[in-house]
Each structure stands twice: as C-alpha cells, then as structure tokens.
Amino acid sequence: QVQLVESGGGLVQAGGSLRLSCAASGRTFSNYYMGWFRQAPGKEREAVARISGSGGWKLYADSVKGRFTISRDNAKNTVYLQMNSLNPEDTAVYYCAASQGPGTSAFKYWGQGTQVTVSS
C-alpha cells in the first residue's frame, strides 16, 4: 500500500507561484500513475494533472494548461506540481493520489491534502 503526504501549500497573491510536493512511502513508487486533484468549496473534485510511472506521459486539465507542470522524481519517491500564474479560481485543497492506471476513477490512494489560497 502506498502512503502519500502533500506539502507546499499556502497563501500567495494572484500572479504568483507555488510548488507542491507529494512524498510517497510505499514500495514500487515507479509502478504508479500519480495525479494531482483539487476541490474548492461547493465544487466537484477536479483532476488537475496526471503523470505515468516513467514520467513520459502527462495530462492536464484545460483550466491549468500552460500554467501548471507535473513532474516526478522516482529516486526520491516524490511527485511535484509547479503552479505558475495563479489566480483566485485556483484556490482549493490540493490532493495527491496514486493509481495503477491513468483514468480518474482508478486513483484510489490519497494524501491528506494541502490548502492553496490565492488572493487578489
């Protein structure tokens, strides 16, 4: 079983940047697809970005394309989300998740979440 812990959230002004990290404690981290999801109050959970085990495949939500970058370092068992040009609509709790496949419904291992707040 993989265990995930997010960090790097906080308060940032519109136009600023944050880098989220997700550390995995489980074995065979490189076998897992990893994803970043977010949920804002009153909204459905949204898949922000996904990455394959090797890092060779990435998929982004339309709302973050060109602004966010997902990456991973398998030697460190860590996945990252670089967030640039943040706006207040990005405010949400961001969750790291792991899956055996790329589909959103297949992400069944979750971190505790980290709050990202973007002020105008």
Side-chain angles (χ1 to χ4, degrees), residues 29 72-78:
F29 173 74
R72 67 193 296 161
D73 186 341
N74 288 341
K76 297 183 181 295
N77 278 22
T78 302

Side-chain angles (χ1 to χ4, degrees), residues 1 36 57 74 91 96-97 109-110 115:
Q1 181 183 4
W36 287 98
W57 175 88
N74 288 341
T91 295
C96 177
Y109 303 97
W110 297 85
Q115 177 70 47

Side-chain angles (χ1 to χ4, degrees), residues 4-5 14-15 17 26-27 39 42 45 47-48 64 68-70 74 87 95-97 99 107 109 116 118:
L4 308 170
V5 179
S17 298
R27 300 291 185 184
Q39 188 160 28
R45 186 183 66 188
V48 175
V64 307
F68 291 10
T69 302
I70 189 171
N74 288 341
N87 58 64
Y95 298 91
C96 177
S99 174
F107 284 83
Y109 303 97
V116 172
V118 184

Side-chain angles (χ1 to χ4, degrees), residues 5-49:
V5 179
E6 303 96 332
S7 62
L11 175 64
V12 64
Q13 291 186 340
S17 298
L18 283 174
R19 190 194 195 199
L20 305 183
S21 298
C22 174
S25 62
R27 300 291 185 184
T28 63
F29 173 74
S30 62
N31 290 345
Y32 290 94
Y33 287 81
M34 299 296 297
W36 287 98
F37 296 75
R38 67 185 182 187
Q39 188 160 28
K43 293 187 177 181
E44 298 289 327
R45 186 183 66 188
E46 177 185 24
V48 175

Side-chain angles (χ1 to χ4, degrees), residues 34-36 49-51 58 60 68-71 79-81:
M34 299 296 297
W36 287 98
R50 284 164 274 175
I51 187 170
K58 299 176 182 180
Y60 297 94
F68 291 10
T69 302
I70 189 171
S71 62
V79 63
Y80 306 95
L81 184 68

